[in-house]
Amino acid sequence: MSWISVLCGQSAMLLFVVASHRGNRVFWHDCLTAQRRRVLKSCAAAVLLLSLVLQAVSDGTVILNMIEWILLAGPEIMVATLACSLRERSSRP
């Protein structure tokens, strides 16, 4: 496992959360236009693809590396969603 791959995956998930409707409300206070949200989602997809490539070319069998990458996506999504929830909770009066 490459730690850079994990870092890229987590960054991509955070970008996806920030570009979502809820993330737009929580992080940007509804300032992002639809076009800017699409750009953020495209950047997140590119970083997620980079994460996949880095994981595929790391040491070990390609199949096992892909399975590991898929299994790491779940915790990455949970951490990104938790960050959004904590930010939303801290911004409430």
Side-chain angles (χ1 to χ4, degrees):
M1 173 177 70
S2 171
W3 64 273
I4 298 174
S5 173
V6 173
L7 186 63
C8 286
Q10 186 62 56
S11 300
M13 294 304 168
L14 285 171
L15 277 174
F16 275 127
V17 167
V18 168
S20 69
H21 287 289
R22 182 178 176 203
N24 183 22
R25 182 175 39 85
V26 172
F27 292 102
W28 304 107
H29 305 291
D30 289 325
C31 290
L32 288 179
T33 62
Q35 181 181 5
R36 288 180 181 167
R37 288 184 31 236
R38 278 193 303 271
V39 168
L40 278 174
K41 288 178 184 178
S42 297
C43 291
V47 174
L48 196 60
L49 181 62
L50 175 66
S51 170
L52 176 64
V53 169
L54 288 172
Q55 185 68 25
V57 299
S58 65
D59 295 336
T61 310
V62 175
I63 299 296
L64 294 177
N65 288 340
M66 293 300 190
I67 292 170
E68 184 178 17
W69 183 81
I70 291 168
L71 291 174
L72 283 174
E76 289 172 351
I77 292 169
M78 283 189 260
V79 167
T81 306
L82 181 64
C84 184
S85 296
L86 290 174
R87 171 78 168 134
E88 184 176 30
R89 182 175 289 166
S90 69
S91 65
R92 287 186 193 164

